[in-house]
Amino acid sequence: MGSLETTSPSSPLFNPLDLDDFRTQAHKAVDFIADYYASIESRPVLPRVDPGYLRKTLLPPTPPTKPTPLDSILSEIETHIMPGMTHWLSPNFFAYFPATVSTAGFLGEMLSSSFNWLASPAATELESIIMDWLASLLKLPQQFTFSGSGGGFLQGTTSEAILCTLVAARERAIEKSSSVIIQKLVVYVSDQTHSTFAKACKIAGISPSDIRTIPTSADTEFALSPELLKRQMEADVAAGLVPLYLCATVGTTSSNAVDPVGGLADVARDHGVWVHVDAAYAGSACICPEFRQYLDGVERMDSLSLSYLDCFCLWVHNRDSLISALATDPEYLKNRPSESGSVVDYKDWQVGLGRWFQALRLWMVFKMYGVMNLQSHIRSDVGLARMFEGPMRGDRRFEVVVPRWFGLVCFWLRGVGEGVNRRVLEEVNRTGRVYMTHTVVGEST
Amino acid sequence: MGSLETTSPSSPLFNPLDLDDFRTQAHKAVDFIADYYASIESRPVLPRVDPGYLRKTLLPPTPPTKPTPLDSILSEIETHIMPGMTHWLSPNFFAYFPATVSTAGFLGEMLSSSFNWLASPAATELESIIMDWLASLLKLPQQFTFSGSGGGFLQGTTSEAILCTLVAARERAIEKSSSVIIQKLVVYVSDQTHSTFAKACKIAGISPSDIRTIPTSADTEFALSPELLKRQMEADVAAGLVPLYLCATVGTTSSNAVDPVGGLADVARDHGVWVHVDAAYAGSACICPEFRQYLDGVERMDSLSLSYLDCFCLWVHNRDSLISALATDPEYLKNRPSESGSVVDYKDWQVGLGRWFQALRLWMVFKMYGVMNLQSHIRSDVGLARMFEGPMRGDRRFEVVVPRWFGLVCFWLRGVGEGVNRRVLEEVNRTGRVYMTHTVVGEST
């Protein structure tokens, strides 16, 4: 697809990038999207379809042989796709985490998907610059930037960030001593750590029985205790095992708990453990000085990941450990600048080989809005949560069950038990006028 | 970002999704992109910048505090980003593989990035339908579809497809027998297999010394020989090792060689080996009946991956083996349809948890163009390669060194040696009027 044909417009040849078509149809799609945004508040926030609805009634089992006009396609989206959508952009959506669509983000995505940026130095260089920008906003120590021993880049998902650093840690441990084999390696998380960690372990060949899940409780506000971690690590060493990797979390998915990064690092580093901070949810808030404290101690970490505007950012303290674990070097990919070591070659930092130009989206957002507005947007989101929390704390029917750290308020109906709370949530969500999600923290009563 | 504010337009609040802004700016970006397409042939196809150009001269070390108007941003893209771009869409670009941008693909991408489709049944259902559509076009056996034991889905990259199936194979082997440990597992490729395979092995904990790279030669047109594979597997079994996984390729990156899929499967299945076909490059051509023969034998494969219009498709024969290796199941992700097993839950098929709505792009392309045009586009691309190959075969100065199977012509200047060929290629590429890539096949002379 996509080679620009130079034949005349009257040619019967199929031209998938005819310029007149492109212009007309892309403008039409922009209006369709804007109209959707304008209508979003009036739509039920949750889909009201049965599983299998699309296959059962709406789509034929084989693809169409002939072209369909764009107008018909857009109306199929409206009638067939939209009813099966969760409208994250709706002002009535209060589940999971906030949507991250913005005009600037949309334009950045549009520009990046309209070209093939693969193998373009501009893409790599912009990404390394933007990651340094973001590092400076987050006040990360110099080691995490390209002027230090590390650097940042954009992964496909948080899971991939954890997987790649876990593999780097594993290779480092196995290379260090010939007596270390994969079956001896032990990794550490709290019972609040995101489930994606267990998957990354499986993929990297670490058995589920070698994951130490350390319990948390309301006493520590569901944060991982350095003391418990220390005891567990010592027990494992005494049993002849090798502590490998600790995944601490700043802003857990379940309750936004914040692990004490500095204290954990002290314990872990006594055992030569790779320490990763997963700040997928709360890391972006740390661009505001008043939230930056939650990353204190990050200078003693090996890696840090967070999600910013749908981009999954990873910084490492020592880029060489990542590169030596993930580099490959075949003939058809050789080129002079990479061979000379003068440029960053991100293919050696990740699972895949190709990559998208996501940095353009981040750059557009920084440019179009400026740091000032990005900070005020975080503050406004957190302010909304505070506004919701206030009356709830004053109302005896409700209980806010964990501290509100950022934009998440965890509450339930006091004294009626888990079953009633679940049923109320289901009823509320069924109205289509609001969507909230549930979790379980600590012992249910 | 992105919650739609309902305050009045005169409010001083920062609104990243103001509807008027969105409409005006998105239309402006569409025109910018169309103008770029119109100018592309006049641009040098390769970038002419030194490594570090962007950081050295053009961008400040910290992000801007205040907003920049869109017009200035677009002119920065023109003056700063464009010079560092490889223009894949240029008609003068003949390197790697063809660009896959089309109007329909662009619109699909635009629609999918303008919403947050996460957790929407429409996204999952459309993806499973489209993968069945594509399976029917490729005449894949029923086992690879959702009406059989398998199914298809979109991975982030080919590397991820290989990694996930490798992990599924590893888990299957280890579960089958308590005497099987990861250090005994051996995997098989040819010396033409993509380098990404070695990386997937590293990540999955398979040591480089357990990758058997079977040599190919001009005698087999650089295809993997079933006889050599058989001998190697038998030798490994005799040594107490466990053959695990074979990665066959249809259309190698270096020379488009086609491994004999059926013959390899016969050998591999004698040893209970997982057989994967990587058809990243050539698989899409198989939507034309005249190329489908290269997938003959696919019914005996465990998995098949290919790249279609920038989407990385993976089909598996037995979805349960993949899911049991990759599933995770925490409380906050529980929901009724998934628990009842009545729906596909793609998070259990891949490395990450979240996913993009890439299926919308494929659907838009199928709808807007129809299979007829998609087939004719493949034929036209292959026809162009044939048109280039003809005169070259008739000219004694050149030699076409391997058969042309699809859209790749591998040639060199006859009798002047590798050094001269490399220099000529560099000179040609330096003109900026064309861009071609090199490889090394067999012994250089």
Side-chain angles (χ1 to χ4, degrees):
Chain A
M1 308 293 302
S3 48
L4 291 161
E5 313 276 340
T6 50
T7 48
S8 73
S10 65
S11 155
L13 264 183
F14 169 56
N15 179 357
L17 207 45
D18 176 272
L19 286 187
D20 292 333
D21 277 0
F22 175 84
R23 230 181 262 267
T24 318
Q25 298 182 332
H27 284 305
K28 200 173 270 186
V30 165
D31 287 327
F32 178 83
I33 294 165
D35 293 344
Y36 164 70
Y37 289 160
S39 74
I40 202 165
E41 197 166 351
S42 66
R43 294 171 188 263
V45 61
L46 274 188
R48 295 173 163 187
V49 294
D50 292 323
Y53 86 102
L54 205 52
R55 192 183 287 265
K56 271 178 208 146
T57 54
L58 306 169
L59 288 164
T62 51
T65 309
K66 294 189 179 165
T68 309
L70 180 59
D71 288 328
S72 315
I73 296 175
L74 294 177
S75 61
E76 277 195 58
I77 291 180
E78 187 53 65
T79 50
H80 298 172
I81 308 281
M82 288 294 185
M85 270 187 62
T86 302
H87 299 286
W88 284 61
L89 287 164
S90 166
N92 306 317
F93 181 91
F94 297 103
Y96 308 110
F97 47 85
T100 53
V101 174
S102 66
T103 299
F106 177 80
L107 299 185
E109 192 73 27
M110 198 170 160
L111 287 162
S112 107
S113 71
S114 62
F115 309 120
N116 268 60
W117 298 90
L118 287 167
S120 290
T124 301
E125 296 202 12
L126 190 65
E127 184 162 333
S128 69
I129 292 167
I130 296 300
M131 296 311 288
D132 278 2
W133 275 13
L134 201 43
S136 79
L137 265 189
L138 292 165
K139 303 202 191 321
L140 299 186
Q142 202 210 355
Q143 303 100 295
F144 285 92
T145 67
F146 286 96
S147 57
S149 55
F153 67 120
L154 298 169
Q155 289 274 7
T157 58
T158 294
S159 314
E160 196 177 330
I162 290 174
L163 175 60
C164 289
T165 53
L166 186 61
V167 168
R170 190 195 67 197
E171 294 300 292
R172 188 177 75 175
I174 289 175
E175 270 162 32
K176 212 195 283 180
S177 160
S178 59
S179 68
V180 174
I181 57 169
I182 197 168
Q183 288 87 347
K184 285 191 179 178
L185 300 172
V186 187
V187 298
Y188 302 84
V189 289
S190 89
D191 58 7
Q192 302 295 305
T193 303
H194 197 286
S195 61
T196 200
F197 183 79
K199 185 189 282 197
C201 288
K202 264 185 151 177
I203 293 173
I206 310 283
S207 158
S209 62
D210 294 325
I211 303 177
R212 299 287 176 264
T213 304
I214 297 173
T216 61
S217 69
D219 297 343
T220 59
E221 292 166 343
F222 301 98
L224 177 54
S225 147
E227 182 53 33
L228 290 183
L229 178 70
K230 184 165 185 273
R231 270 186 250 159
Q232 180 66 57
M233 283 189 176
E234 283 167 1
D236 288 324
V237 172
L241 299 171
V242 180
L244 175 71
Y245 187 99
L246 165 67
C247 181
T249 309
V250 173
T252 60
T253 306
S254 178
S255 70
N256 274 193
V258 176
D259 290 339
V261 169
L264 294 170
D266 291 339
V267 173
R269 300 212 103 180
D270 284 349
H271 294 284
V273 162
W274 183 295
V275 188
H276 178 78
V277 177
D278 171 7
Y281 173 82
S284 56
C286 302
I287 68 167
C288 300
E290 67 270 32
F291 295 117
R292 172 57 176 76
Q293 56 180 302
Y294 301 116
L295 291 181
D296 282 358
V298 71
E299 63 284 356
R300 281 168 285 164
M301 302 288 133
D302 294 279
S303 46
L304 166 71
S305 59
L306 58 84
S307 168
Y308 194 56
L309 306 170
D310 273 348
C311 291
F312 299 95
C313 308
L314 172 65
W315 289 268
V316 291
H317 191 112
N318 178 353
R319 57 182 175 263
D320 289 342
S321 55
L322 201 65
I323 293 169
S324 75
L326 298 174
T328 54
D329 212 3
E331 182 64 28
Y332 47 79
L333 294 176
K334 280 185 186 159
N335 63 75
R336 292 218 165 135
S338 289
E339 278 173 81
S340 73
S342 67
V343 296
V344 178
D345 201 350
Y346 278 130
K347 77 173 169 53
D348 297 336
W349 296 53
Q350 62 179 17
V351 171
L353 185 64
R355 44 206 341 273
W356 308 112
F357 194 8
Q358 292 181 293
L360 194 69
R361 181 167 56 179
L362 283 182
W363 180 73
M364 290 288 285
V365 172
F366 278 126
K367 294 289 282 188
M368 277 186 71
Y369 300 142
V371 170
M372 220 177 56
N373 280 316
L374 295 172
Q375 288 172 331
S376 89
H377 195 74
I378 296 274
R379 287 176 185 132
S380 135
D381 273 6
V382 175
L384 289 171
R386 204 181 289 122
M387 195 190 296
F388 179 78
E389 180 197 15
M392 189 148 277
R393 286 205 181 269
D395 187 327
R396 289 192 48 82
R397 290 170 299 174
F398 296 103
E399 184 185 4
V400 176
V401 294
V402 294
R404 184 206 47 73
W405 301 90
F406 306 101
L408 178 72
V409 182
C410 264
F411 68 97
W412 75 343
L413 288 164
R414 194 191 293 268
V416 297
E418 192 182 331
V420 172
N421 271 280
R422 280 189 191 266
R423 282 200 301 281
V424 170
L425 179 65
E426 272 172 30
E427 287 301 318
V428 167
N429 285 343
R430 193 172 300 142
T431 65
R433 296 188 50 208
V434 68
Y435 180 37
M436 297 183 288
T437 35
H438 77 284
T439 192
V440 173
V441 287
E443 301 287 314
S444 68
T445 51
Chain B
M1 307 294 304
S3 49
L4 290 162
E5 313 276 339
T6 49
T7 49
S8 74
S10 64
S11 155
L13 265 183
F14 169 57
N15 179 357
L17 206 45
D18 176 271
L19 286 187
D20 292 333
D21 278 1
F22 176 84
R23 228 181 263 269
T24 318
Q25 297 182 334
H27 284 305
K28 201 174 270 186
V30 165
D31 286 328
F32 178 84
I33 293 164
D35 292 344
Y36 164 71
Y37 289 161
S39 73
I40 203 165
E41 196 164 354
S42 66
R43 294 172 188 263
V45 61
L46 274 188
R48 294 174 165 187
V49 294
D50 291 323
Y53 86 102
L54 204 53
R55 193 182 286 265
K56 270 176 207 145
T57 54
L58 306 169
L59 288 166
T62 50
T65 309
K66 294 187 179 166
T68 310
L70 181 59
D71 288 328
S72 316
I73 296 175
L74 294 177
S75 62
E76 277 194 58
I77 291 180
E78 186 54 65
T79 51
H80 298 172
I81 307 280
M82 288 293 186
M85 271 186 61
T86 303
H87 299 287
W88 284 62
L89 286 164
S90 165
N92 306 317
F93 181 91
F94 298 102
Y96 307 111
F97 48 84
T100 53
V101 174
S102 66
T103 299
F106 177 81
L107 299 186
E109 192 73 26
M110 197 169 160
L111 288 163
S112 109
S113 71
S114 61
F115 309 119
N116 269 60
W117 298 89
L118 287 167
S120 290
T124 301
E125 296 202 13
L126 189 65
E127 185 164 331
S128 69
I129 292 166
I130 297 300
M131 296 311 290
D132 279 1
W133 275 12
L134 202 43
S136 79
L137 264 189
L138 292 164
K139 303 201 191 319
L140 299 185
Q142 202 211 355
Q143 303 100 295
F144 284 93
T145 67
F146 286 95
S147 58
S149 56
F153 66 120
L154 298 169
Q155 288 276 8
T157 58
T158 295
S159 314
E160 197 177 329
I162 290 173
L163 175 59
C164 289
T165 52
L166 186 61
V167 167
R170 190 195 66 197
E171 294 300 292
R172 187 177 75 174
I174 290 175
E175 269 163 33
K176 211 194 284 179
S177 159
S178 60
S179 68
V180 173
I181 58 169
I182 196 169
Q183 288 87 348
K184 284 191 180 178
L185 300 173
V186 188
V187 298
Y188 302 84
V189 288
S190 89
D191 58 7
Q192 302 296 306
T193 303
H194 197 285
S195 62
T196 200
F197 183 78
K199 185 188 282 199
C201 287
K202 263 184 149 177
I203 293 173
I206 310 283
S207 158
S209 62
D210 294 325
I211 302 177
R212 300 285 177 265
T213 304
I214 297 172
T216 61
S217 69
D219 298 342
T220 59
E221 291 166 345
F222 301 99
L224 177 54
S225 147
E227 182 53 33
L228 291 183
L229 178 71
K230 184 165 186 274
R231 271 187 248 157
Q232 182 65 57
M233 284 189 177
E234 284 168 359
D236 288 325
V237 171
L241 299 171
V242 180
L244 177 70
Y245 187 99
L246 163 69
C247 182
T249 309
V250 173
T252 62
T253 305
S254 179
S255 70
N256 274 192
V258 176
D259 290 339
V261 169
L264 295 170
D266 290 339
V267 173
R269 300 214 101 181
D270 283 348
H271 295 284
V273 162
W274 184 295
V275 188
H276 178 79
V277 177
D278 172 8
Y281 173 83
S284 57
C286 302
I287 68 167
C288 300
E290 66 271 33
F291 295 118
R292 173 56 177 75
Q293 56 181 303
Y294 300 117
L295 291 181
D296 282 357
V298 71
E299 63 283 357
R300 280 169 286 163
M301 301 289 134
D302 293 281
S303 47
L304 165 71
S305 60
L306 57 85
S307 168
Y308 193 57
L309 306 170
D310 273 347
C311 291
F312 299 97
C313 308
L314 171 64
W315 288 268
V316 290
H317 191 112
N318 178 353
R319 57 182 175 262
D320 289 342
S321 56
L322 200 65
I323 294 169
S324 75
L326 298 173
T328 54
D329 212 2
E331 183 63 28
Y332 47 79
L333 294 176
K334 282 186 184 156
N335 63 76
R336 293 221 163 133
S338 290
E339 279 172 78
S340 73
S342 67
V343 297
V344 178
D345 200 351
Y346 278 130
K347 78 173 170 52
D348 298 335
W349 296 54
Q350 61 179 16
V351 171
L353 185 64
R355 43 206 342 272
W356 308 112
F357 194 7
Q358 292 180 295
L360 194 69
R361 182 167 55 182
L362 283 183
W363 180 73
M364 291 287 287
V365 172
F366 278 126
K367 293 288 284 188
M368 277 185 72
Y369 301 143
V371 170
M372 221 177 57
N373 279 315
L374 295 172
Q375 288 173 331
S376 91
H377 195 73
I378 296 274
R379 287 176 185 133
S380 135
D381 273 7
V382 175
L384 288 171
R386 203 180 290 121
M387 195 190 296
F388 178 79
E389 180 196 15
M392 188 146 278
R393 288 207 180 266
D395 187 328
R396 289 192 47 81
R397 290 170 300 174
F398 295 103
E399 183 185 4
V400 176
V401 294
V402 292
R404 184 206 49 73
W405 301 90
F406 307 101
L408 178 72
V409 182
C410 263
F411 69 97
W412 75 342
L413 288 164
R414 193 191 294 269
V416 297
E418 191 181 330
V420 172
N421 271 281
R422 279 188 191 267
R423 282 201 300 282
V424 170
L425 179 65
E426 273 172 30
E427 287 300 319
V428 167
N429 284 343
R430 193 173 299 143
T431 63
R433 297 187 50 208
V434 69
Y435 180 38
M436 297 183 288
T437 34
H438 77 285
T439 193
V440 172
V441 286
E443 301 286 315
S444 67
T445 51

